[in-house]
Amino acid sequence: MIEESGVFHLGNHEAEMCYGGEADLHKHVTGCKKNPGHKDFIPLKDFNASCLPSRYHDDDLMSETIKTLAALTVQVKTKFTSLERPEFYPGTQVPYPCYNDRGSLVMRLGTGRVWRAKKYTESDGWGTCRCAKCQVSATPSKVWGEVHVVTATHVVFDDSEARQTRCVLGFDDNKSPVVSLDGWEVRGGTNIERDWCRLSYVTCDLKLVDDLDKMWRRFDGLCRDVRNKYGRFDDVDKLTVIVSHPHGCPKQVSVG
């Protein structure tokens, strides 16, 4: 958990462990003790401005920001646990998540967000596309894109886990068409203390890259507008909104 101060509370973490595979997810939802019934989760398809506190009901800026955030939110599915996971958080005796699962193929699910998307060409000096399809093709794409996704380090710890991680975009409900990106590497290292890591995904789906780039730039601008409008508010008046995939389920919105 990261508060506004940026301080991570050691030991707090949110990830779904599926020892029985995805077929067991419905059991985790109905048996959840932390949020029985999930009454405070709003399915994305049901979310609208009236779900916000009354003073935001007519705020198109806030509503648009949340919808854009939801469009950038992804389900993170990891099927390997690194042998390099530490037993404890650095300098403490606080157990680090999933240490006892090292080397296993237990599925772990979490949530991430598209952080950036960028196109490259062979003339940029980065070579041809390295996605799974192009790696086995005699004619790999000379124009390709890289999508960065931020998630928690306790969900994806290092490159060995990133290469076994899939990000699912568009999982708004059980009938939504989705796009999957398979992992490539952790870009720029991980930050255990702040529980933050950035994943890199490679694709030659150029329309997807363009759409995500526009969406990310739109979200960045909206966030600046929200800060300018509400940054003066005291902490007690500030709004927190989370878009997530609890228990690996379709997107849910939490407001508090």
Side-chain angles (χ1 to χ4, degrees):
M1 231 175 249
I2 297 179
E3 294 186 338
E4 195 167 328
S5 63
V7 177
F8 174 63
H9 288 232
L10 296 182
N12 287 359
H13 58 278
E14 297 286 342
E16 187 72 47
M17 307 297 292
C18 293
Y19 294 92
E22 290 187 73
D24 276 355
L25 282 177
H26 68 283
K27 297 179 182 178
H28 294 280
V29 175
T30 57
C32 178
K33 296 180 180 179
K34 181 176 180 180
N35 293 295
H38 295 94
K39 296 178 181 178
D40 296 326
F41 286 114
I42 306 166
L44 180 60
K45 62 182 178 63
D46 297 332
F47 177 80
N48 55 59
S50 67
C51 299
L52 298 170
S54 57
R55 64 191 175 97
Y56 296 103
H57 282 185
D58 297 321
D59 192 332
D60 293 335
L61 171 62
M62 186 63 71
S63 182
E64 178 65 19
T65 302
I66 295 168
K67 290 178 181 178
T68 307
L69 168 63
L72 294 171
T73 299
V74 304
Q75 182 195 56
V76 179
K77 301 165 67 173
T78 305
K79 54 184 180 181
F80 179 70
T81 303
S82 173
L83 294 169
E84 302 301 319
R85 284 195 175 231
E87 184 174 4
F88 303 105
Y89 283 94
T92 77
Q93 291 298 305
V94 179
Y96 194 76
C98 304
Y99 172 78
N100 293 328
D101 292 314
R102 290 174 305 155
S104 74
L105 298 178
V106 175
M107 181 177 290
R108 188 167 54 256
L109 296 105
T111 302
R113 177 174 67 82
V114 173
W115 185 72
R116 186 165 290 176
K118 185 178 181 179
K119 280 195 299 189
Y120 296 94
T121 66
E122 192 175 30
S123 61
D124 292 325
W126 291 90
T128 55
C129 183
R130 298 168 289 171
C131 74
K133 182 176 69 175
C134 285
Q135 285 189 61
V136 297
S137 171
T139 56
S141 178
K142 295 182 179 181
V143 184
W144 50 279
E146 184 177 31
V147 178
H148 290 182
V149 172
V150 291
T151 188
T153 302
H154 74 261
V155 176
V156 183
F157 184 76
D158 60 14
D159 282 347
S160 68
E161 293 186 3
R163 286 189 287 270
Q164 299 292 324
T165 297
R166 172 170 290 177
C167 279
V168 181
L169 298 90
F171 187 26
D172 297 349
D173 58 49
N174 286 316
K175 296 182 180 179
S176 298
V178 300
V179 175
S180 295
L181 294 173
D182 290 318
W184 180 255
E185 63 184 0
V186 170
R187 177 61 65 88
T190 58
N191 190 317
I192 296 177
E193 287 75 15
R194 293 196 63 195
D195 200 32
W196 182 95
C197 88
R198 176 158 52 101
L199 305 174
S200 168
Y201 293 84
V202 176
T203 178
C204 53
D205 184 342
L206 301 181
K207 182 180 184 306
L208 174 66
V209 175
D210 284 339
D211 289 347
L212 291 177
D213 179 55
K214 291 176 184 177
M215 191 67 66
W216 173 79
R217 292 178 186 278
R218 172 67 175 153
F219 179 67
D220 191 50
L222 287 167
C223 284
R224 285 197 297 269
D225 292 342
V226 168
R227 283 194 296 270
N228 290 337
K229 185 172 183 178
Y230 294 105
R232 68 186 185 280
F233 282 18
D234 294 333
D235 286 347
V236 70
D237 291 324
K238 288 184 177 177
L239 178 69
T240 296
V241 178
I242 299 171
V243 182
S244 64
H245 287 279
H247 304 291
C249 293
K251 288 174 190 171
Q252 308 284 316
V253 182
S254 304
V255 179

